Amino acid sequence: MKREILLGDEAVGLGAVHAGISGVYGYPGTPSTEIFEFVESIAKKTGDIHAFWSTNEKVAYEEALGMSWAGKRALVTMKHVGLNVAADAFMNSAITGTNGGLVLAVADDPGMHSSQNEQDSRYFAKFAQIPCFEPGTQQECYDMVAEALDLSEELTVPVMLRLVTRIAHSRSAVEVTSTPRKQNPLHPTREIHKWTLLPSNARVQYKLLTEKQPELLRRAEASRHNRLELRGKHGVIACGITWNYLLENLPDNHDFSILRIGQYPIPAGKVRELVDHVDDVLVLEDGYPFVEEMLRGPFGLERAVVKGRLSGELPRTGELNPDLVRDAMGLEPQGGLELPTAPANRPPTLCPGCPHHDTYLALNEAVAEYDKPQVFSDIGCYTLGALPPLEAIHSCVDMGASIGMASGAAHAGYHPAIAVIGDSTFAHGGMTSLLSAVQQHVDVNVVILDNETVAMTGTQHSMATDETLDRIVLGLGVEADHLRVITPLPKHHDENVQVFREELAHKGPSVIIARRACVEKVKRHR
Amino acid sequence: MEKNLILAGVGGQGILSIAFVLDNAAVRAGYTFKQAEVHGMSQRGGAVQSNLRYADHEIYSDLIPGGRVDVVLSVEPLEVERYWKMLAPDGWVVSSVTPYVNIPDYPPEDELLAQLTSYSNTILVDAGKIAKAAGTLKAQNMAVLGAASPLLDFTDDQLLEFVNVLFSRKGERVVQLNERAYRFGKAAGLFFRGLIDAGIEPRLALDLSRKMDPSTVDPGLAPRWAKRLKGEPDAVRALLAQEGDIACGQEQ
């Protein structure tokens, strides 16, 4: 054993390496990115783990599933909304089952520090009917990923490891093994019926999955991560990281009866035992009221009062913290100083010298000739262009949404229909929408901000940049005359405005690529 | 023993470098620690903070409960203002007074400094000036760490060991510049406190300590400067109004 200082994310990555993974897969997304990057940094030295970012989360999940099929262990990482993209592969991998251990480490973002929603991935685990681990400490991040891989291999189901921002991006010292597990040998499965989900096979496989459920529940009931301690008549259920907030506030000689949950499915037996013992239960969960909602429903708890996000003891939305938990426990607040003034906000901004800035200045000037048109946009650093003073873009929904939404607006007769999307986001989720727009000959103007990297998450490798990007756009059917490439620099401002003007006037699909490397990338890779 | 710190600043100012030094020093000293940080969108020039806790017992929450922050350590003066409500009743504020102006409604300097100096437990240093004197503007974070070091539970060597680890891959020169910034920052902070402890009003203490050539600051001279400030205020004010820096040692 030795001790290392690790982020929760890094502990997941190292735990997976020590548990013998042969591949890590993912698409960058805060707060999950560092899981992959930590494994990648090890793989660069050892050379025996596949570690290359995927085009999107669905691809990543499918690659991981293929690794599992071949008998080796795989870790696939993404942020919560990334799982929406991977959902088709994810849901059906529960039906096929696994061969080598397959763990999905998904990082939720309660409070939306860097996200467009705060969806709770535990619903996805329940939806797919697979086990889910929820660490509360960095040590558990490290330990649980190995347990999850073992469980996946033993019961041949994919297993989820659900993180939240505060555990993903918090450091502590972690005890790590000095005797890592060896990787699995290549041993592909030839159980073709398992992996070919024709309806006749899928029905069989789905039944098998449902038949595994009692065993999954038995494992959760017996899990060392689900601990029940009965004391007085006030109960608390603490899931994942909220355990820390509870302990932070718990007096030494407290009288709460407490169930800690770190492994799902929800250990219904332990829940019943708690509820039978207490008069009320406070449910602490960083995310949706997942357990709380279940408590109010199928467990039939007329005798106990359930408190939590739904009853108003805790806020319905946002991230929990020790103070909110303290308040919900009915303890005295620990006040700080009164804030003398509300300080001026300091929102994030585009970096000095950022190419997006120059592109937006040119675009703003070109569209000024129209009646303040909507500019549909996407997810990346360039989303900051929505803020003053640029206010150049006016939508951000999901990865790749800009092109589809601009097309839909064009179908409705809206002109000019403009989409602004980054190079990596285009590869991730924009290419198929552009193909649709070309095939339908929609009057849409797609601006691809090619800064040659995945900038927002830390300048990871972009799949579609430079010549590759040009060839993709042409390959999707955009006419060569209407693929324009500009260099977003102040000295080219006037000619860039002119290019925008010409393409906005063109009836039919056009693509303008604004190409200049991200300044942060240039700095980091110098 | 338990210490709860908020590290604050603007994305790019090196909050996480301060955290790296303190995390490692804490582990080396045998403490437990937890340190929550901000990644992603807010790193792009926005307000950033890290919750750093270390103790000789187990630490539970990654986030510091309200009213329990012992030290707000900020590389930027406006950023302090976000954390008053987190501060323990006897908590300290250690801050640079070098503003990072990247927003249109940044408050006037006098207003900001009046706010900071109205709180008694402060250590204020001009990290921009100190870092420049040390040889690199990038070392403002290390200057503030140095200024805060007397409030922490580590020796200079315990901290500087990890300043060395942090910057060693950038070469010996960068290590040395950061070490200097740390030492200048520490001296400036102690000098500032020395003036205040000798009864000098905080704003004047700040003005005088900022006027010093950072490489000459000797905290041991603070009492003499304080005496002079009281004895011949006009002469000192004339000195403050002069062009250029003054050498701390001229009091000897």
Side-chain angles (χ1 to χ4, degrees), chain A residues 202-220:
Chain A
R203 284 183 208 112
V204 175
Q205 286 298 113
Y206 182 54
K207 189 154 179 288
L208 280 175
L209 177 63
T210 61
E211 285 166 3
K212 282 178 194 168
Q213 297 307 306
E215 180 60 14
L216 302 188
L217 183 59
R218 202 184 65 73
R219 298 298 180 107

Side-chain angles (χ1 to χ4, degrees), chain A residues 17-40:
Chain A
V17 170
H18 287 175
I21 56 164
S22 302
V24 62
Y25 299 92
Y27 185 84
T30 313
S32 73
T33 311
E34 295 81 2
I35 302 172
F36 181 100
E37 288 184 330
F38 198 76
V39 179
E40 185 187 32

Side-chain angles (χ1 to χ4, degrees), chain A residues 3 5-7 30 34 113-114 136-138 165-167 169-173 241 243-245 247-249 319-323 334-341 343-352 380-381 383-384 455-459 520 524, chain B residues 2 9-10 16 20 23-24 27 30-31 33-47 49 51 53 58-68 76 78-79 81-89 100-103 105-107 115 119:
Chain A
R3 286 209 299 173
I5 294 176
L6 297 170
L7 282 178
T30 313
E34 295 81 2
H113 298 276
S114 290
T137 64
Q138 291 76 3
T165 303
R166 284 301 166 191
I167 188 74
H169 284 172
S170 178
R171 275 175 221 279
S172 193
I241 196 169
W243 174 246
N244 300 339
Y245 303 151
L247 288 186
E248 187 71 38
N249 288 302
E319 186 182 32
L320 294 186
N321 62 43
D323 299 333
Q334 298 172 301
L337 298 181
E338 282 303 305
L339 196 64
T341 53
N345 272 334
R346 197 191 303 261
T349 51
L350 294 173
C351 303
C381 284
T383 316
L384 296 171
M456 177 60 91
T457 49
T459 68
E520 187 67 18
R524 285 197 191 199
Chain B
E2 174 180 315
V10 180
L16 296 185
F20 174 89
D23 292 353
N24 280 279
V27 170
Y31 299 133
F33 89 98
K34 282 194 173 177
Q35 181 244 319
E37 55 196 51
V38 176
H39 292 204
M41 188 173 253
S42 38
Q43 280 177 299
R44 301 273 173 267
Q49 53 83 14
N51 282 224
R53 318 182 70 187
E58 192 177 350
I59 291 170
Y60 299 115
S61 173
D62 301 75
L63 295 173
I64 304 167
R68 295 259 303 277
E76 209 283 341
L78 177 63
E79 293 308 310
E81 310 263 315
R82 303 187 202 284
Y83 307 104
W84 290 121
K85 63 179 184 298
M86 300 289 296
L87 211 56
Y100 187 112
V101 183
N102 65 346
I103 48 173
D105 49 350
Y106 197 95
Q115 187 104 78
Y119 184 66

Side-chain angles (χ1 to χ4, degrees), chain A residues 126-155:
Chain A
K126 181 172 161 54
F127 194 20
Q129 302 178 53
I130 63 162
C132 172
F133 288 82
E134 190 182 14
T137 64
Q138 291 76 3
Q139 186 68 51
E140 287 180 347
C141 288
Y142 177 85
D143 295 340
M144 281 180 171
V145 70
E147 284 178 55
L149 281 160
D150 286 346
L151 189 65
S152 169
E153 223 155 72
E154 186 192 341
L155 302 180

Side-chain angles (χ1 to χ4, degrees), chain B residues 35-218:
Chain B
Q35 181 244 319
E37 55 196 51
V38 176
H39 292 204
M41 188 173 253
S42 38
Q43 280 177 299
R44 301 273 173 267
V48 291
Q49 53 83 14
S50 174
N51 282 224
L52 196 158
R53 318 182 70 187
Y54 63 85
D56 57 9
H57 54 80
E58 192 177 350
I59 291 170
Y60 299 115
S61 173
D62 301 75
L63 295 173
I64 304 167
R68 295 259 303 277
V69 172
D70 300 300
V71 183
V72 172
L73 189 163
S74 182
V75 191
E76 209 283 341
L78 177 63
E79 293 308 310
V80 172
E81 310 263 315
R82 303 187 202 284
Y83 307 104
W84 290 121
K85 63 179 184 298
M86 300 289 296
L87 211 56
D90 55 350
W92 281 80
V93 168
V94 182
S95 179
S96 170
V97 294
T98 314
Y100 187 112
V101 183
N102 65 346
I103 48 173
D105 49 350
Y106 197 95
E109 186 182 23
D110 274 340
E111 207 176 280
L112 197 54
L113 293 183
Q115 187 104 78
L116 286 175
T117 51
S118 69
Y119 184 66
S120 55
N121 290 354
T122 54
I123 300 178
L124 302 177
V125 295
D126 191 342
K129 178 169 179 171
I130 292 168
K132 201 172 161 197
T136 170
L137 262 179
K138 285 185 184 164
Q140 295 181 49
N141 53 350
M142 291 300 134
V144 182
L145 176 61
S149 61
L151 298 173
L152 308 178
D153 302 86
F154 311 104
T155 63
D156 289 338
D157 285 348
Q158 280 176 310
L159 294 175
L160 289 172
E161 176 186 348
F162 294 103
V163 172
N164 196 316
V165 172
L166 179 62
F167 294 108
S168 56
R169 68 184 176 85
K170 294 186 176 173
E172 186 52 32
R173 187 171 165 273
V174 176
V175 172
Q176 279 171 11
L177 298 181
N178 279 280
E179 267 201 44
R180 284 181 80 189
Y182 172 95
R183 291 191 193 280
F184 288 179
K186 180 175 184 180
L190 287 173
F191 185 79
F192 172 79
R193 282 314 302 180
L195 292 175
I196 289 181
D197 291 344
I200 302 303
E201 176 267 316
R203 182 57 203 266
L204 186 56
L206 176 63
D207 288 345
L208 179 61
S209 56
R210 284 179 95 173
K211 189 72 181 166
M212 303 282 170
D213 172 347
S215 65
T216 67
V217 174
D218 175 359

